[in-house]
Structures are given as structure tokens and as C-alpha cells.
Amino acid sequence: MGDVLAGFHAVWEFETDSVLIRFERGIRRPKLFQALGERRIPYEALRSVELSEGRRGTVVLHAVPRPGADPLMEAAAGQLKEDSDPYRLVLPAEREASAGDFADALRAALVPDAAEPADRHLVAAPDPPLTFKAYDGKASFDGSTVAFRWFWTGASSAKWKRGDQTFAVGELAGVEWRSPEVVTGHLRLLERGAREARPGEADQDPAAVVFGLGYGPVHESLPFAAAVLQAVRAADSGQDTPAREPACRAGDTRRDPADIADRIRQLGELHTAGLVTDGEFSAKKAELLAEL
């Protein structure tokens, strides 16, 4: 197509086989858009294109992705607020005719099986490494492993006793993300062969981090979930991902002595507060020292 359509929060550049969405930066722009920066959406990733009347003298061009084509939208599972949907372009109402022309051109570019779910991810997730702080720990993803490091001020005693967790992509079956804009939120890693996750247990599940006010915001936790999900799907399909490995848990790898000292200090504070027993304190301290 070779044309550009500029909206209030983004600019869409139409190319031969895809549309490049460049998100504008600014105080009033959704933080998710700013975090994404730009995204290239192949036309084969789209199911349909809609043009509708928006609010306050605007029109909305909405490109609807095919199920399974975009790891970000798959992880979001319909939980994004309308204003945070990266597939919506809001324009002044006077540009409705121009937007209609682009909508028609996009519809003409849809693939014959656009109504069918995609058999693989067609839109790229944000590149790792990625990190974010949840309420009870720090999550990090380097492209091959996901790590949770618990905060003693927020993690449940069940998580603290299990220790920091590390999961190889190959041992995961998927990702469950719940928006922190609801009452509670979480990111849970679904392990292969594990029992089904039960609602309400994320704060006790060592394969999950939970979100609270000011922790795990959408613009940090959702791209993280999308990147992990994309890596899991790539591993399933035999693409270029690390070979599957057994789970690596606390104590399996050596760590920085300063980090070990910090964890022992935190453990001592929990012991003093009566949150861990003498036996648990001694066992965990010995486990941490063994990592040196």
C-alpha cells in the first residue's frame, strides 16, 4: 500500500505484506503503547477489519487479529481495556472517508483462511531480557528461563520456604495472566504434567507471582507474559529454542555471595518475627550457604 494513517495515539504505515504500527509517546498515551514502541502486524495475522464511530467526534479503525496469531493478545485473553487495545486506531471524525479507504484495502489484503485460528504466532512478542516487580517477587526472563526471586516483605511463607524458582521454557505448557487492573492479578507459569491451577491459589503457588496496587502493571507484566508464551509455543513447534531441561530450583546454581548474605539476613528477620521455625531457619540457611 505504501501509505500512512496517523491517529491520536499511533501511526500506521501500510506496506506490501504488513502494517507497521508506531505508537506515539506522551503523558496521556497508554503506558502499554509506550512500552511496545512499535509492532509489525502481517496481514496474514488479521481476521477482520472494522470501522466504527468513536467517542467525542472520532472514528475507530480496528484490525482484529486471528486467534493464536499474536502472543500479546493471546496472553491478554480479552482483559485489555478498549483504550489499551493496540489494534485500535482512533482518528478525528473528519478523516472517516480516508479511514474507510484504508479499511477496504486491509480487507482486500486478508488471507483466504483469515477466519480460522492461526497455527502459530505471526506477530513478534517483545524481545527478552525482560523483568518486572510483582507484589511478592521479581520476575525475569532471559529467553530460555523464567526466574522468580521472592520478596520477604510480600511473599507468602509457602513461597519463601520453597525458595526462589527458575523454570526452563521447555518444561512449561503455557502462561496464565490476570490483569492487575482487576481486584487482583497474577502471572502463573503452567508446568507440563502439573495438576490444573485452581483459582485463588496464586499467592501460594511457587510458579506464580501476584500483583498488587503499584506492582506488576499491565505495561510491564503483559509484554513479559507474551514473550514467555511465544518462547513456549516455539519450543513446542521445535523452533530455535534451548533444549528442554529439568527444572532448576533454588540451590541448583551458584550465586553471588552478596546475594546469599542478603537472603540469609532476610531469613533471619523472618525467624525473629516468628514466621519460620528454628528448624526451618537452620535448614534454609544451610541450603543457601551450600550455593556458595
Side-chain angles (χ1 to χ4, degrees):
M1 299 179 189
D3 292 311
V4 174
L5 189 60
F8 289 112
H9 301 317
V11 175
W12 288 18
E13 299 181 14
F14 298 89
E15 302 178 356
T16 303
D17 59 355
S18 61
V19 55
L20 178 63
I21 301 177
R22 299 184 185 277
F23 297 103
E24 299 289 338
R25 294 184 176 276
I27 297 177
R28 296 186 178 181
R29 306 297 193 262
K31 288 186 177 180
L32 177 61
F33 293 178
Q34 297 185 51
L36 294 174
E38 66 178 44
R39 310 190 80 212
R40 184 175 297 280
I41 313 297
Y43 298 136
E44 64 174 327
L46 300 179
R47 183 182 69 188
S48 62
V49 180
E50 304 167 355
L51 182 64
S52 60
E53 181 180 348
R55 293 173 290 184
R56 303 175 198 169
T58 64
V59 293
V60 179
L61 179 60
H62 188 197
V64 182
R66 298 167 63 187
D70 185 347
L72 186 85
M73 302 306 285
E74 183 177 349
Q79 299 173 77
L80 283 180
K81 293 182 177 180
E82 187 177 78
D83 291 344
S84 295
D85 185 342
Y87 285 84
R88 295 176 78 253
L89 182 66
V90 182
L91 307 108
E94 57 266 25
R95 302 200 62 189
E96 181 175 4
S98 177
D101 291 340
F102 280 100
D104 290 340
L106 275 175
R107 293 189 188 102
L110 298 180
V111 296
D113 60 347
E116 300 297 326
D119 59 2
R120 69 188 189 285
H121 287 149
L122 300 169
V123 182
D127 293 328
L130 297 169
T131 63
F132 75 93
K133 289 184 178 180
Y135 175 72
D136 56 357
K138 178 180 180 180
S140 60
F141 177 52
D142 63 6
S144 60
T145 57
V146 181
F148 294 154
R149 176 180 174 182
W150 307 124
F151 297 150
W152 72 271
T153 52
S156 64
S157 58
K159 289 183 177 180
W160 187 262
K161 291 176 183 178
R162 290 286 297 272
D164 295 345
Q165 302 289 298
T166 306
F167 303 83
V169 164
E171 68 177 338
L172 300 178
V175 178
E176 178 184 83
W177 181 80
R178 292 293 178 267
S179 174
E181 293 181 341
V182 187
V183 177
T184 58
H186 66 258
L187 183 148
R188 190 196 308 265
L189 302 176
L190 307 179
E191 299 179 84
R192 295 181 184 279
R195 63 176 177 79
E196 287 190 12
R198 289 181 293 180
E201 291 191 340
D203 63 329
Q204 303 295 317
D205 187 350
V209 289
V210 297
F211 309 127
L213 292 177
Y215 296 90
V218 170
H219 71 282
E220 293 181 348
S221 59
L222 180 55
F224 185 102
V228 175
L229 182 59
Q230 180 171 267
V232 170
R233 294 286 184 270
D236 286 343
S237 63
Q239 297 177 18
D240 294 333
T241 54
R244 296 179 181 175
E245 304 171 3
C248 174
R249 299 292 182 262
D252 290 346
T253 57
R254 294 187 179 278
R255 286 201 241 164
D256 186 337
D259 181 52
I260 298 297
D262 182 51
R263 300 313 301 272
I264 291 177
R265 184 163 49 251
Q266 293 178 348
L267 184 64
E269 292 175 358
L270 289 175
H271 180 236
T272 301
L275 297 177
V276 297
T277 65
D278 292 344
E280 290 170 340
F281 172 75
S282 298
K284 185 61 179 179
K285 180 179 178 181
E287 178 183 324
L288 289 169
L289 290 173
E291 297 182 30
L292 291 172

